[in-house]
Amino acid sequence: MLSDKPERVRAGGRSEKIRLAVGEACLEFLKEGRVDFTNVEVAERAGISRKTLYRWWPTHNDLLVEALSLHVRQAAPPNPGQWESDVRAFVDLVAEYAAGPVEVASAALMAGRRYPDFNKVVLEQHRPVLETWQQMVQRAIDRGAANSDHSPKAVVNVLAAPLFMAPMALGRKASEEEMEEVIGIILAATRC
């Protein structure tokens, strides 16, 4: 499928620096709880011309996709090792990610349901991340490190839900005790 957008090819070059500046500018607005920022505000904050911004990101959704695709990269699961150490590393990663200002503000914006397009973009950008999380569990099952009594989707849901709920409901990152409880539940449920 052909795209009307110009290709951004040179990783690490000027194009990549512009993409990072734009993504980070948009993430700063999201941290502030603002999803209705303007292209002009993004261009100013990113330190680029409006012409460049409109050429690469002609719509507001394009800006959201750029920002959220940058954001979700932080949630890549650990490289597989021993199942228990994978679960521990993953719980640490998800707890930190879920308590971050972008996630907290995005969750609040989504819960308000005032921006249906934003909610859709967030879910679309997180879908591949959830799939990689589930693949981490499936790899553990495949190598015999975890049992197959529960689907990878169920394991990830049980693991992630309390870690995302602590910042949303309690206003803080999951505590060490809460994280240990999650780890214990996952390890008991997947024990071979």
Side-chain angles (χ1 to χ4, degrees):
M1 181 167 89
L2 294 175
S3 172
D4 293 341
K5 282 181 149 183
E7 283 190 48
R8 290 173 266 184
V9 212
R10 292 183 1 215
R14 183 174 184 274
S15 296
E16 186 64 20
K17 289 176 184 166
I18 291 172
R19 287 183 71 197
L20 285 173
V22 167
E24 289 170 1
C26 294
L27 289 175
E28 288 299 318
F29 286 115
L30 292 177
K31 286 177 190 176
E32 296 165 9
R34 290 191 52 206
V35 72
D36 55 356
F37 50 83
T38 67
N39 288 31
V40 172
E41 289 174 310
V42 172
E44 287 173 2
R45 195 171 278 193
I48 64 169
S49 74
R50 288 185 236 169
K51 182 179 175 182
T52 298
L53 186 89
Y54 282 107
R55 182 174 62 236
W56 292 104
W57 300 275
T59 69
H60 190 71
N61 272 3
D62 293 330
L63 290 170
L64 289 173
V65 167
E66 187 71 52
L68 291 169
S69 68
L70 175 64
H71 173 63
V72 299
R73 288 183 217 152
Q74 299 171 33
N79 290 325
Q82 297 297 317
W83 179 233
E84 182 174 346
S85 62
D86 289 352
V87 171
R88 288 185 177 286
F90 187 64
V91 166
D92 286 341
L93 171 87
V94 173
E96 195 67 37
Y97 180 80
V102 172
E103 274 308 298
V104 171
S106 293
L109 288 165
M110 290 179 76
R113 300 209 184 280
R114 289 184 52 211
Y115 306 101
D117 287 343
F118 175 71
N119 291 14
K120 183 179 175 184
V121 170
V122 170
L123 293 173
E124 286 171 357
Q125 293 303 306
H126 279 83
R127 186 172 293 114
V129 172
L130 288 172
E131 290 171 4
T132 62
W133 293 357
Q134 292 168 18
Q135 290 166 4
M136 176 190 74
V137 176
Q138 186 61 56
R139 284 192 304 270
I141 292 168
D142 292 346
R143 69 180 190 264
N147 69 48
S148 61
D149 292 350
H150 309 286
S151 71
K153 181 178 180 179
V155 172
V156 167
N157 287 345
V158 168
L159 189 150
L163 303 175
F164 277 91
M165 283 304 297
M168 291 190 314
L170 304 173
R172 61 166 173 75
K173 179 182 169 186
S175 69
E176 291 296 322
E177 181 180 310
E178 291 163 335
M179 290 167 45
E180 282 300 320
E181 288 174 352
V182 170
I183 291 166
I185 290 167
I186 295 302
L187 292 177
T190 59
R191 188 170 290 123
C192 290

